Amino acid sequence: MNDKRQAANAMWGGRFASGPDAIMEAINASIGFDKRLHRQDIEGSRAHAAMLAATGILTDKDAEAIREGLLTILSEIEAGKFAFSTALEDIHMNVESRLRELIGEAAGRLHTARSRNDQVALDFRMWVREQADAAIEGLGALMRALLAQAEAGADWVMPGFTHLQVAQPVTWGHHMLAYVEMFARDRARFVDARARMNECPLGAAALAGTSFPIDRHMTAEALGFDRPAANSLDAVADRDFALEFLSAAAICAMHLSRLAEELVIWSSAQFRFVTLSDRFSTGSSIMPQKKNPDAAELIRAKIGRIMGAMVGLFTVMKGLPLAYSKDMQEDKEQVFDAADSLALALAAMTGMVADMSANREVLEAAAATGFSTATDLADWLVRVAGLPFREAHHVTGRLVAMAEEKGCDLADLSLAEMQSVHDAIDESVYDVLGVHNSVASRTSFGGTAPEQVRAQIARWKEALS
């Protein structure tokens, strides 16, 4: 047996007479990815050692040696000087083995009253908690960038779409605020998820708790948790916190993808609604005129990775009996990838939104196309001429058909032409057929009128301050 296998066997104890097969070692090892948890692992071990000393389970001398040794290991890892070993399986055993080299026998006392089961549950939960915090912060930055766009164009008119067909005029500010609302809900989901995950599993040990007189409230408080997890079985078996993070991330990525899709469309030569900065665009190797919205396209694709991670972890967890099973080693890689993808997508979208320029004249010209004020005409027929809405809808449809046949807009029809369809129409109808008049009239709460848009901007600026 080589030294690495001897080390692994020593970690497992006396139950095994020989080391693992090379294939078993390869499938069993997680150090290739869980070394990412080194900071959380060391922080948790320091809190555990301090608690063991405070409760008299560990001497102050051993606790101090452990504390200093762990700090040395942390500095070695962060300096890139730590030699990770696949034979030692995971981050926990790699740290413990190095601690033994540094301080000797005292290192073996660190694992008193805990198991790798509650240790990994702690490390992973702390890491996911940090990612939730990062998502909350990233979403706040994106919302502020969208608010800046909304404030700049609170009264700029643009076409609102349904089925990607021109529907009614809206304001640029109103459109930007729609995404503020979406991302605010995403932010709230991460806040809610963080509150639920903030229970400390440390001290649950393998699954049943421990007979040592530990103080779980002490370690929970030291590590920033609201409370210790109340059931030891649940504490080591739970991966809800990761599933909820992935669920919130998938919804957020979907919203990012929708905005990215609009930026791809809007920046095209056919639309020209926005100009993206060079910082978030690329060129073509063969077509010198091209300016491609690659950042938006890559954000649009990130939903596939993030949703795939969510489905992957649900599939891992769906059939597992309590408490811990080795299947749960497969819980981390997809979460790591999803968190990285989300953070990058949020940062890129924030940069694009902050840098992009909306083309006001193009937006306004487009707002007037496609008979976008037809609903305003129908509303006028109800409000002023007294028609039932269904009749007004029919009359407006006939007028749209007339304008389409003549190749003009509704506002270009003469009064006589309009009266040939319904004699209750008078000159005041032209007051509602301009796009600016249209948006100004939508004063209901949450509507697109500039006064409503500015009120919502003020509300969100205060909320985000």
Side-chain angles (χ1 to χ4, degrees):
M1 193 191 310
N2 64 29
D3 290 342
K4 286 185 177 181
R5 293 198 177 187
Q6 283 179 334
N9 193 36
M11 288 291 180
W12 291 343
R15 171 65 178 82
F16 291 83
S18 62
D21 184 86
I23 295 174
M24 180 60 201
E25 183 177 294
I27 197 172
N28 195 49
S30 60
I31 189 60
F33 52 86
D34 70 15
K35 61 186 176 184
R36 189 165 181 172
L37 301 175
H38 70 271
R39 184 168 48 80
Q40 292 79 12
D41 193 71
I42 290 171
E43 187 178 349
S45 290
R46 289 181 62 197
H48 185 65
M51 180 275 295
L52 292 178
T55 53
I57 300 169
L58 194 66
T59 67
D60 290 340
K61 180 181 177 182
D62 283 346
E64 178 62 19
I66 289 169
R67 188 186 77 84
E68 292 299 324
L70 289 171
L71 288 175
T72 298
I73 293 168
L74 179 61
S75 65
E76 288 176 349
I77 294 174
E78 293 184 344
K81 297 177 180 178
F82 189 93
F84 291 102
S85 168
T86 302
L88 292 171
E89 295 185 21
D90 55 33
I91 186 61
H92 323 301
M93 286 190 167
N94 270 265
V95 169
E96 185 176 329
S97 177
R98 177 59 178 148
L99 187 63
R100 184 181 294 273
E101 291 174 358
L102 290 171
I103 69 171
E105 185 179 288
R109 297 192 175 98
L110 173 60
H111 209 53
T112 306
R114 75 173 182 184
S115 161
R116 280 193 294 173
N117 293 355
D118 61 337
Q119 192 176 359
V120 69
L122 172 69
D123 296 356
F124 194 28
R125 189 177 291 253
M126 289 172 65
W127 190 90
V128 173
R129 185 176 64 180
E130 290 178 11
Q131 300 311 303
D133 288 340
I136 292 164
E137 183 177 347
L139 281 161
L142 176 54
M143 291 168 67
R144 284 187 284 273
L146 288 162
L147 278 174
Q149 287 284 351
E151 190 168 26
D155 57 357
W156 299 358
V157 291
M158 66 175 289
F161 297 92
T162 61
H163 309 277
L164 203 56
Q165 305 294 314
V166 173
Q168 294 177 257
V170 297
T171 53
W172 171 258
H174 194 55
H175 201 113
M176 294 295 100
L177 284 173
Y179 283 106
V180 171
E181 295 288 339
M182 288 185 202
F183 292 125
R185 293 193 297 275
D186 292 332
R187 194 166 177 259
R189 273 183 278 271
F190 283 112
V191 170
D192 290 347
R194 192 200 191 285
R196 268 184 293 279
M197 73 176 66
N198 209 34
E199 295 184 345
C200 184
L202 188 60
L207 74 163
T210 178
S211 59
F212 289 94
I214 62 172
D215 185 346
R216 293 191 60 210
H217 288 86
M218 178 182 173
T219 47
E221 183 178 356
L223 294 168
F225 289 95
D226 295 330
R227 65 192 69 85
N231 183 284
S232 59
L233 280 168
D234 178 55
V236 298
D238 170 37
R239 293 298 183 269
D240 297 4
F241 62 91
L243 289 167
E244 193 167 7
F245 172 82
L246 289 175
S247 299
I251 297 171
C252 181
M254 178 269 295
H255 287 150
L256 287 167
S257 183
R258 293 185 73 177
L259 177 52
E261 170 71 1
E262 293 206 312
L263 295 183
V264 170
I265 293 170
W266 289 352
S267 62
S268 68
Q270 290 71 28
F271 273 74
R272 295 186 298 113
F273 283 6
V274 300
T275 301
L276 299 179
S277 74
D278 291 349
R279 295 173 64 230
F280 292 94
S281 306
T282 64
S284 166
S285 63
I286 190 172
M287 295 169 283
Q289 83 282 9
K290 293 292 294 297
K291 183 177 180 181
N292 299 324
D294 281 8
E297 292 171 359
L298 289 165
I299 291 170
R300 190 173 57 183
K302 291 295 183 185
I303 181 64
R305 295 176 73 137
I306 295 171
M307 186 173 289
M310 180 185 71
V311 173
L313 185 53
F314 268 110
T315 305
V316 167
M317 297 301 298
K318 72 174 183 61
L320 297 186
L322 296 180
Y324 182 84
S325 298
K326 195 69 170 184
D327 311 50
M328 291 164 70
Q329 184 166 289
E330 295 297 315
D331 60 358
K332 296 173 198 67
E333 284 183 280
Q334 57 262 52
V335 180
F336 291 163
D337 183 77
D340 290 346
S341 295
L342 180 66
L344 186 56
L346 282 170
M349 183 59 79
T350 301
M352 273 194 299
V353 169
D355 283 3
M356 73 181 179
S357 301
N359 300 323
R360 183 178 182 178
E361 294 77 14
V362 175
L363 289 169
E364 184 166 336
T369 64
F371 309 106
S372 65
T373 57
T375 304
D376 297 277
L377 174 56
D379 288 347
W380 183 91
L381 289 166
V382 172
R383 188 174 59 252
V384 178
L387 275 62
F389 183 81
R390 287 302 171 201
E391 183 181 351
H393 188 283
H394 179 72
V395 170
T396 302
R398 290 179 61 191
L399 289 168
V400 167
M402 179 186 291
E404 192 169 39
E405 186 176 340
K406 291 175 63 66
C408 67
D409 198 16
L410 285 169
D412 298 321
L413 292 174
S414 69
L415 182 60
E417 287 170 326
M418 289 193 182
Q419 289 176 335
S420 71
V421 175
H422 201 286
D423 58 12
I425 300 175
D426 63 35
E427 192 74 30
S428 67
V429 73
Y430 292 101
D431 293 340
V432 303
L433 294 182
V435 291
H436 286 282
N437 290 336
S438 174
V439 297
S441 72
R442 306 292 171 180
T443 56
S444 58
F445 180 81
T448 193
E451 65 184 74
Q452 283 292 324
V453 170
R454 290 189 175 100
Q456 294 297 331
I457 291 169
R459 176 177 71 89
W460 275 116
K461 286 176 75 173
E462 183 178 357
L464 290 171
S465 64

